[in-house]
């Protein structure tokens, strides 16, 4: 979050390290849930790549789903040699803090209206910052059981606040929706162990913090919320198509209509862009939206380009891992709960992020989904074996 392409370094290092499996050949002891997760990743890759080949899309389109294939050997590596829990939780917190520090520097010293950390887009920085913040919050259950519990709790709380702060500073409204949903999930889980009082205290604290963040002077939340209300009120104004929300609504409407032409397999990336250009020539849509290569929505984007089959593959990528992590959270060993909770938070965040942006069409989006998924699953399985 604070180094250019920093989110790629760890992924590449793990991928290169997985080559050791070809000669060390450790006993993996894969179980049905492991095979299910692997099958989900392979199915997402296979469906999207086959669709891209069918439509003759440019070669660079194959790059993003390829991450779902490349994470499979990484998952096998981590199942054989699980990372240290302290490395995972410490990295999550430090990543959130470092990203927020850079964003604050950009905002105060470089007069950047919407800081973006080391990423190329404020939206994706804000979403990933929120994700790291919520993962830090999920890690508190692990921190409380450590020898230096106070220090670990302080670090993860700092990571949580920094992640939320970075998201607020970015002005990325879509990621803010994930905050109350994830906090509610984490609070409900912890209330099972600590009583309903924990739930009341957590939700009250969150409400207080949100009200404070809204009413502080020059609050990005208040300014962005007021802008959103104004843009929605002017939806019938043709000039609104040039605003952020206006362009999104136009992109969603266009993608939904175009998806009805070839519902099963979609029209591919080139077909999508060609159809939009034709609509501009016919006056059916404004030129501002026609240049975007995605629909600003993961579900509509894959539906119009890859059809219903592609949409089912996307749902599988989100929902089946969510089911596996959720099942481990409800019925698994207590030592595995922090990783199961983190996996649930990861999947829920991406389900929400995908409603207002196309996360999986960018490198940071797909990497920050599948690689943390593999890491947390390996830690979860290791904790289950230990129990």
């Amino acid at each position: 979050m604070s180094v250019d392409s920093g989110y790629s370094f760890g992924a590449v290092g793990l991928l290169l390290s997985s080559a050791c499996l070809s000669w060390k050949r450790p006993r993996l002891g894969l179980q049905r849930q492991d095979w299910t997760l692997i099958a989900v990743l392979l199915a997402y890759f296979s469906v999207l790549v086959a669709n891209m080949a069918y439509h003759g899309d440019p070669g660079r389109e194959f790059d993003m789903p390829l991450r779902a294939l490349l994470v499979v050997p990484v998952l096998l590596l981590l199942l054989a040699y699980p990372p240290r829990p302290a490395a995972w939780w410490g990295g999550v917190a430090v990543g959130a803090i470092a990203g927020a520090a850079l964003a604050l520097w950009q905002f105060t010293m470089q007069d950047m209206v919407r800081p973006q950390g080391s990423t190329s887009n404020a939206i994706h920085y804000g979403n990933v910052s929120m994700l790291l913040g919520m993962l830090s919050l999920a890690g508190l259950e692990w921190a409380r059981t450590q020898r230096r519990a106070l220090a670990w709790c302080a670090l993860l709380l700092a990571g949580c606040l920094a992640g939320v702060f970075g998201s607020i500073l970015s002005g990325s409204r879509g990621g803010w929706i994930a905050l109350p949903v994830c906090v509610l999930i984490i609070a409900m889980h912890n209330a099972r162990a600590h009583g309903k009082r924990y739930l009341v205290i957590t939700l009250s604290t969150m409400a207080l913090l949100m009200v404070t963040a809204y009413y502080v002077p020059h609050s990005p939340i208040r300014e962005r919320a007021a802008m959103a209300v104004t843009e929605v009120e002017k939806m019938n104004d043709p000039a609104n198509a040039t605003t952020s929300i206006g362009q999104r609504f136009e992109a969603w409407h266009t993608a939904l209509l175009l998806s009805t032409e070839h519902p099963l397999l979609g029209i591919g990336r080139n077909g999508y862009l060609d159809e939009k250009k034709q609509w501009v020539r016919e006056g059916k849509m404004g030129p501002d939206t026609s240049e975007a290569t995605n629909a600003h929505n993961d579900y509509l984007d894959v539906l119009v380009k890859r059809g219903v089959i592609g949409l089912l593959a996307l749902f599988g990528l989100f929902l089946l891992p969510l089911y596996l992590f959720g099942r481990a959270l409800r019925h698994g060993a207590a030592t595995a709960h922090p990783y199961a909770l983190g996996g649930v938070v990861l999947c829920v965040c991406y389900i929400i992020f995908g409603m207002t942006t196309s996360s999986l069409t960018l490198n940071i989006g797909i990497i920050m989904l599948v690689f943390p998924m593999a890491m947390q699953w390996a830690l979860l399985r290791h904790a289950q074996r230990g129990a």
Side-chain angles (χ1 to χ4, degrees):
M1 297 297 287
S2 57
V3 180
D4 289 344
S5 297
Y7 41 82
S8 298
F9 295 156
V12 172
L14 286 170
L15 179 62
L16 295 176
S17 300
S18 67
C20 75
L21 296 175
S22 61
W23 69 82
K24 293 185 74 73
R25 300 182 183 278
R27 184 176 179 83
L28 296 174
L30 298 180
Q31 296 185 2
R32 184 172 61 181
Q33 58 263 43
D34 303 316
W35 286 113
T36 301
L37 185 58
I38 292 171
V40 166
L41 294 166
L42 294 179
Y44 178 78
F45 164 77
S46 302
V47 169
L48 263 67
V49 166
N51 186 281
M52 291 171 182
Y54 172 77
H55 289 296
D57 286 341
R60 62 179 177 273
E61 284 290 292
F62 293 77
D63 195 30
M64 294 304 109
L66 181 63
R67 305 297 191 278
L69 173 66
L70 297 180
V71 80
V72 171
V74 171
L75 175 61
L76 298 177
L77 173 73
L78 296 177
L79 286 171
Y81 308 104
R84 293 185 178 182
W88 164 252
W89 295 119
V92 166
V94 170
I97 294 168
L102 178 57
L104 182 61
W105 170 268
Q106 293 171 338
F107 185 76
T108 57
M109 298 300 181
Q110 298 182 338
D111 296 323
M112 190 177 291
V113 177
R114 296 186 63 188
Q116 57 192 36
S118 64
T119 71
S120 60
N121 188 296
I123 296 175
H124 299 289
Y125 163 71
N127 286 348
V128 174
S129 183
M130 180 64 74
L131 171 64
L132 293 179
M134 293 299 97
L135 288 174
S136 297
L137 186 61
L140 285 175
E141 184 176 4
W142 169 84
R144 288 194 294 264
T145 65
Q146 302 308 299
R147 187 174 61 178
R148 298 180 178 177
L150 184 60
W152 274 113
C153 286
L155 176 63
L156 287 169
L157 278 174
C160 172
L161 294 175
V164 175
F165 175 74
S167 178
I168 292 174
L169 209 57
S170 73
S172 303
R173 294 167 296 210
W176 301 345
I177 304 172
L179 174 61
V181 178
C182 291
V183 169
L184 179 61
I185 291 172
I186 295 171
M188 290 178 64
H189 167 69
N190 283 279
R192 291 167 55 191
H194 304 287
K196 294 183 179 179
R197 183 174 60 180
Y198 183 93
L199 179 63
V200 174
I201 293 174
T202 302
L203 296 182
S204 300
T205 303
M206 182 190 69
L208 178 62
L209 291 174
M210 292 177 67
V211 170
T212 303
Y214 184 85
Y215 283 105
V216 294
H218 309 294
S219 167
I221 292 181
R222 186 171 64 251
E223 293 175 0
R224 294 286 290 169
M227 185 183 301
V229 171
T230 301
E231 292 176 6
V232 170
E233 289 176 345
K234 296 180 179 179
M235 280 305 300
N236 293 327
D237 184 354
N240 190 57
T242 61
T243 66
S244 174
I245 290 183
Q247 289 181 1
R248 271 188 172 82
F249 277 120
E250 187 171 33
W252 298 345
H253 181 252
T254 302
L256 190 58
L257 291 179
L258 290 176
S259 66
T260 61
E261 296 182 2
H262 299 279
L264 189 61
L265 297 176
I267 58 178
R269 180 184 186 273
N270 290 340
Y272 175 60
L273 296 179
D274 291 343
E275 286 288 343
K276 289 206 297 181
K277 291 177 182 178
Q278 180 63 32
W279 278 32
V280 171
R281 288 192 292 267
E282 296 175 359
K284 295 181 179 179
M285 67 180 298
D288 295 305
T289 313
S290 64
E291 299 300 324
T293 58
N294 60 70
H296 288 288
N297 180 297
D298 272 326
Y299 310 102
L300 292 176
D301 190 68
V302 75
L303 179 62
V304 68
K305 294 177 182 176
R306 315 298 163 206
V308 173
I309 295 178
L311 184 61
L312 291 176
L314 178 64
F315 281 141
L317 184 64
F318 287 162
L319 298 180
L320 281 176
L322 176 61
Y323 168 76
L324 293 175
F325 283 115
R327 183 179 179 183
L329 186 62
R330 292 191 305 272
H331 307 297
T335 53
H337 283 174
Y339 315 110
L341 184 59
V344 169
V345 165
L346 173 68
C347 295
V348 168
C349 278
Y350 265 84
I351 289 171
I352 294 173
F353 295 160
M355 296 177 183
T356 54
T357 190
S358 296
S359 301
L360 303 186
T361 59
L362 289 179
N363 190 33
I364 184 174
I366 186 70
I367 279 184
M368 289 302 296
L369 172 63
V370 297
F371 280 86
M373 184 183 292
M375 294 172 193
Q376 292 188 104
W377 183 255
L379 286 163
L380 183 154
R381 297 285 290 115
H382 182 62
Q384 288 178 334
R385 294 192 192 108

